[in-house]
Amino acid sequence: MATPRIRRLIAAASLPLVVAATMTALPSTANALSSDVVISAVYGGGGNSGAIFKNDYIELANLTDNAIDVSAWSVQYASAAGVVFQVTSLTGSIPAHGRYLIQQAAGAAGSVSLPTPDAIGTVPMSATSGVVALVTAQYSLVGCGTACATAPNVKDLVGYGATANVETLAAPALTNTTAIARSGSLTDTDNNAVDFTSGVPKATNSAGTTVSASDPGGPVDPTPGTTRIHDIQGAGRISPIVGQSVTNVPGIVTAVRVTGNSRGFWFQDPSADADPLTSEGLFVFTGSTSPTVVIGDSVLVTGRVTEYRPAAGAQTLTELGGPINTIRLTGGNALPAAVPVAFPDAYTKSGSLEAQPLEPSSYVLDWLEIHEGMRITVAEDTRLISPVNTAFSELWVTLKPGQNPTPRGGSIYPGYDALSSGRLMILSLNGAPAANVGSTLAAGTTGPLDYQSFGGYVLQATELGAITEGGLKRQKVLPPKKQGDLSVATYNVENLAATNPAAKFARLAEAVVTNLGKPDILALEEIQDNNGATNNGVVAADETVAKFIAAIQAAGGPTYDWRSIDPNNGTDGGEPGGNIRQVFLFNPARVTFVDRPGGDADTAVSVVRERPTSNQVSLSVSPGRIDPTSDAWASSRKPLVGEFLYDGNKQLFVVANHFNSKGGDAPLTSAVQPPVRSSEVQRVKQATEVHDFVKDLSDKSAGQARVVVLGDLNDYQFSPAIQTITGNGTLLKTLIDTLPADQRYSYIFDGNSQVLDHILISPAIKGYSYGVVHINAEFSDQASDHDPQIIRILTGCSADPLPTRCLPGSPVVDE
């Protein structure tokens, strides 16, 4: 499985504007940088003169997808100059992506009570300067002086006003009428001055109840402020007033998001300024609280200007966050006219985009940036270049139908510097019907332009054009021309476990029998252990494989035998607890697996020459794994090697692979272009390991060894990893390159039809036919997210010159 797609879809499910990382809190930390629970707000003016709230408070936020138990934790307060911390013990837990409110001492003034607190203390906090620490213990911090941020058990620390006990620099001082709150993304950078801004006190408890001092239930000021949306957006990628609070910004609500943990709404100023580089639209982030406004409301919004960066390397989304106060003036207003999407030819320029002026007439990413938050519309019929993902109502279309088309309606990814500039991602806020690649989306899809995790820019459609299915058919392998032809296939079956529904096994089995034509050898990737994602130390996959073999037999296929090696628990990456690995299925009526004992998770397979002067080679163990203790395979699958005999005891070596994913790479819309491909480093190391093993086979056999290297290599045919594993084509042949350029794909990501799966062969394999069997990636209804591939090694192809039937180019797939 290609992790980037999974990551992107998870993000699309809730479209979070909070970066969720660690899901389980540690009992102690080496420093105060926290990725799970943070201090989100501090207010010390409760009950003072001019205050609305009666009490001081401290608010916490959970950034993760799981509830976090804080029953053994505490919050602790010290004065700006003091070293004695007063402890308030916590109870219960903080819900996933929720808040937790600690009420402190009351004063004589104030008229509004906080929401029901989750914990209550009696600490009289300073209304100007002080220190608050979140501690994973319930005893007082002592002896840390002004370095308490790095004291043991300190999860987070905020020093505000005139204090030296801080994370890097102090947050703004408090007043009787202002609190400090963490920015909209809630990220902890260990710099209080950067992480916190001053604003109107606003407190939220674990039940999601919010009370704001700016709107405690009394009269409001309906006067528009002086700051407009285009002032916030500015003429660049970063707001010129980022970090500042703005009051009563006017606009018309154009869309509302009421699900997930990035709820909020888009609003747009109908009175545009004269600068075409300043967007007139903006997203208002309300977190896990659903906004009460509806489309067409005229509103005034008060909040803090933030730049939300959803992932490392990504661009930012300018938004209003922090304590939000929205005044509804009128409803039923006409929406600002939507701008027709009109992309220039070039996708992007190079370098740091945030440091360069916007050129929307030249570059797609610049055109998108100047319309961020605004209503845009697809004014013409378009073609789907990805299937509709109905679970997330997500699809991609091309606005340039003649650009890099595949024969089946997609858009090919031809190279790093040749990205299709016509692609547009659409996410329907009201759902989307199933449809396959090549279908037609009618003109009229309209909504605000967003920038969300991993998918980059996306049209959040309030109106979706009608979709007409294009009639795409799943492919099948042609029957073999001769009985002795040997078929070898590779298939990523996407986290297949014995606990999966029988329907998944049946779908995959039908593909093996009907679409792949019952291959003689089938290399499977992503076979999980018997209990799937349950993380309890089980590594055996015999039940998973047996269930799959039985499903194949029930579908009319042969009774396959199988070989694999169980990994060590938790060492091979993939879904936690799943222990994915590669597995060989083979038809014993057609091939013989040569078993050589001794292969296990830690033993490296090697090439053995039968006699010193002989070119006959074998494996030291079969099945075996290539150098499994090498750091190239850290948290990644180790290649599985097997020795087979076929067609009169001809020897064949098969290497099944699943290289590390592209997780961690910067998105295609990254802030620095070209995007950084950090995951590539490990894949090149893995490619080197496989290259060196195959070269040893070649050298010791004097080039006579028949070798098939196949699997999910998680990289493109033009990538450094593939060039490394093939020795730039001198050691192995990349079969995807034998197909026409517009047919080189087995996977679709971000609207790009691209290659992640491969079959590579040694020069000793003379006659063959090859193809990608398109049955999944282009379809909404998928058994897996990958398309399988197959090679048919043709019998009677040892003569020189090759007989006509042995020449490459003979089709294997029925189009």
Side-chain angles (χ1 to χ4, degrees):
M1 180 186 303
T3 298
R5 176 173 175 81
I6 293 302
R7 290 170 50 217
R8 175 168 59 79
L9 293 183
I10 290 171
S14 60
L15 298 172
L17 292 183
V18 174
V19 178
T22 307
M23 292 188 180
T24 303
L26 300 177
S28 63
T29 56
N31 56 53
L33 190 145
S34 178
S35 59
D36 49 9
V37 180
V38 295
I39 299 168
S40 53
V42 176
Y43 175 59
N48 292 354
S49 176
I52 298 294
F53 284 135
K54 299 176 182 179
N55 292 77
D56 302 337
Y57 68 83
I58 300 163
E59 183 190 274
L60 309 178
N62 177 359
L63 310 185
T64 77
D65 295 329
N66 289 37
I68 292 182
D69 183 0
V70 294
S71 58
W73 296 16
S74 64
V75 293
Q76 305 191 19
Y77 170 82
S79 66
V83 293
V84 177
F85 280 85
Q86 300 177 70
V87 178
T88 302
S89 296
L90 307 183
T91 60
S93 62
I94 311 178
H97 296 289
R99 304 298 174 103
Y100 185 103
L101 184 64
I102 303 100
Q103 176 179 288
Q104 297 292 4
S111 59
V112 175
S113 298
L114 296 170
T116 302
D118 301 296
I120 298 176
T122 59
V123 178
M125 298 166 58
S126 170
T128 56
S129 303
V131 183
V132 174
L134 174 61
V135 183
T136 58
Q138 294 186 342
Y139 50 84
S140 178
L141 294 171
V142 292
C144 54
T146 59
C148 294
T150 57
N153 298 310
V154 172
K155 170 66 66 174
D156 194 13
L157 181 141
V158 180
Y160 56 94
T163 181
N165 205 346
V166 300
E167 292 179 354
T168 310
L169 295 172
L174 306 181
T175 71
N176 291 348
T177 58
T178 60
I180 56 168
R182 199 175 286 272
S183 62
S185 66
L186 301 180
T187 303
D188 183 11
T189 70
D190 268 0
N191 187 331
N192 295 155
V194 171
D195 292 346
F196 285 85
T197 55
S198 178
V200 176
K202 178 182 177 182
T204 303
N205 62 14
S206 62
T209 303
T210 300
V211 176
S212 173
S214 66
D215 185 15
V220 295
D221 179 6
T223 305
T226 58
T227 303
R228 310 297 285 247
I229 292 175
H230 48 249
D231 299 322
I232 296 170
Q233 287 283 10
R237 282 185 158 80
I238 304 298
S239 170
I241 56 173
V242 61
Q244 297 183 26
S245 294
V246 291
T247 303
N248 283 6
V249 179
I252 306 296
V253 176
T254 60
V256 180
R257 186 161 60 213
V258 294
T259 60
N261 295 301
S262 65
R263 303 180 191 188
F265 61 92
W266 290 265
F267 74 132
Q268 186 168 332
D269 194 330
S271 301
D273 67 356
D275 188 347
L277 300 183
T278 58
S279 172
E280 301 295 338
L282 193 65
F283 182 69
V284 179
F285 171 61
T286 62
S288 57
T289 302
S290 294
T292 57
V293 297
V294 298
I295 293 174
D297 281 352
S298 174
V299 295
L300 303 175
V301 184
T302 297
R304 293 195 310 276
V305 179
T306 63
E307 290 287 348
Y308 167 61
R309 196 179 302 277
Q315 295 189 57
T316 62
L317 173 69
T318 306
E319 64 182 23
L320 288 184
I324 293 294
N325 183 52
T326 303
I327 300 171
R328 180 181 180 275
L329 301 178
T330 61
N333 295 276
L335 303 186
V339 177
V341 180
F343 286 166
D345 291 335
Y347 186 69
T348 185
K349 51 198 155 189
S350 298
S352 173
L353 301 185
E354 292 172 0
Q356 300 181 58
L358 294 170
E359 302 174 81
S361 62
S362 298
Y363 300 104
V364 171
L365 291 187
D366 288 12
W367 190 96
L368 291 164
E369 173 61 29
I370 71 164
H371 294 96
E372 179 188 84
M374 294 178 63
R375 295 183 78 230
I376 62 173
T377 186
V378 180
E380 299 179 353
D381 291 359
T382 56
R383 187 180 78 244
L384 269 63
I385 54 173
S386 77
V388 175
N389 185 301
T390 55
F392 305 99
S393 302
E394 172 192 299
L395 57 128
W396 287 79
V397 298
T398 179
L399 304 177
K400 302 176 181 179
Q403 186 182 57
N404 298 326
T406 72
R408 293 168 58 84
S411 178
I412 206 74
Y413 183 35
Y416 296 124
D417 58 352
L419 197 63
S420 296
S421 61
R423 298 170 306 113
L424 175 66
M425 180 184 178
I426 297 170
L427 198 153
S428 175
L429 292 169
N430 300 310
N436 302 325
V437 164
S439 299
T440 299
L441 176 68
T445 297
T446 303
L449 180 64
D450 191 19
Y451 188 90
Q452 57 101 5
S453 298
F454 312 110
Y457 291 101
V458 55
L459 194 169
Q460 298 277 359
T462 56
E463 306 166 47
L464 184 70
I467 298 178
T468 303
E469 180 58 63
L472 195 68
K473 302 297 183 183
R474 288 181 166 88
Q475 294 181 322
K476 296 180 181 180
V477 171
L478 293 168
K481 293 184 177 179
K482 284 196 174 182
Q483 185 65 27
D485 293 349
L486 179 78
S487 55
V488 183
T490 176
Y491 196 2
N492 183 321
V493 291
E494 194 176 7
N495 289 325
L496 185 65
T499 54
N500 288 157
K504 178 170 182 176
F505 283 91
R507 282 284 305 278
L508 291 168
E510 178 65 24
V512 171
V513 174
T514 301
N515 301 96
L516 290 176
K518 310 171 190 176
D520 301 316
I521 301 172
L522 176 58
L524 302 172
E525 298 87 55
E526 292 199 19
I527 292 289
Q528 292 195 342
D529 62 36
N530 291 331
N531 57 24
T534 302
N535 196 358
N536 61 355
V538 170
V539 296
D542 55 318
E543 295 174 14
T544 302
V545 177
K547 191 171 181 180
F548 192 25
I549 291 173
I552 293 171
Q553 190 175 17
T559 302
Y560 282 104
D561 201 348
W562 67 286
R563 297 292 186 274
S564 186
I565 293 177
D566 291 337
N568 294 316
N569 186 45
T571 61
D572 283 24
E575 187 176 23
N579 290 309
I580 59 175
R581 83 289 309 274
Q582 295 86 264
V583 171
F584 291 127
L585 299 188
F586 61 94
N587 183 353
R590 298 276 297 148
V591 297
T592 300
F593 190 91
V594 180
D595 288 295
R596 301 185 188 278
D600 59 29
D602 301 311
T603 299
V605 64
S606 60
V607 180
V608 178
R609 183 182 279 130
E610 296 293 337
R611 296 184 302 278
T613 59
S614 170
N615 293 330
Q616 184 65 36
V617 294
S618 61
L619 301 179
S620 59
V621 294
S622 177
R625 302 175 103 193
I626 295 178
D627 201 7
T629 60
S630 167
D631 63 359
W633 311 111
S635 298
S636 186
R637 284 66 57 186
K638 288 70 176 171
L640 180 69
V641 185
E643 184 178 338
F644 295 86
L645 298 175
Y646 75 101
D647 190 25
N649 291 326
K650 291 178 181 175
Q651 193 177 40
L652 179 70
F653 299 96
V654 183
V655 185
N657 301 272
H658 188 183
F659 284 5
N660 75 298
S661 77
K662 293 181 177 293
D665 287 3
L668 295 177
T669 57
S670 66
V672 176
Q673 293 287 337
V676 176
R677 305 188 300 272
S678 57
S679 68
E680 189 175 85
V681 175
Q682 186 176 5
R683 279 194 302 281
V684 170
K685 287 184 179 180
Q686 294 175 342
T688 300
E689 292 275 3
V690 177
H691 168 275
D692 291 350
F693 176 81
V694 175
K695 189 174 187 305
D696 197 27
L697 268 172
S698 178
D699 289 347
K700 289 178 178 175
S701 68
Q704 299 306 303
R706 299 180 187 87
V707 185
V708 175
V709 176
L710 77 180
D712 180 358
L713 302 185
N714 261 320
D715 226 331
Y716 315 120
Q717 68 274 27
F718 45 78
S719 68
I722 303 305
Q723 299 310 307
T724 298
I725 196 173
T726 64
N728 291 314
T730 61
L731 181 69
L732 293 166
K733 184 174 187 176
T734 307
L735 294 189
I736 198 77
D737 285 338
T738 66
L739 300 180
D742 60 359
Q743 297 178 30
R744 298 172 187 172
Y745 65 96
S746 62
Y747 188 82
I748 296 177
F749 179 66
D750 279 2
N752 288 308
S753 295
Q754 57 193 33
V755 181
L756 294 181
D757 310 272
H758 290 272
I759 296 181
L760 317 170
I761 61 172
S762 66
I765 297 176
K766 302 296 185 183
Y768 64 87
S769 56
Y770 160 80
V772 179
V773 189
H774 297 301
I775 58 175
N776 287 318
E778 299 166 314
F779 296 88
S780 280
D781 180 21
Q782 299 179 343
S784 167
D785 49 352
H786 290 249
D787 286 332
Q789 299 186 23
I790 190 166
I791 179 176
R792 186 170 288 144
I793 301 174
L794 306 179
T795 189
C797 295
S798 57
D800 190 13
L802 288 175
T804 301
R805 73 173 295 269
C806 298
L807 296 176
S810 175
V812 69
V813 177
D814 183 2
E815 296 294 338

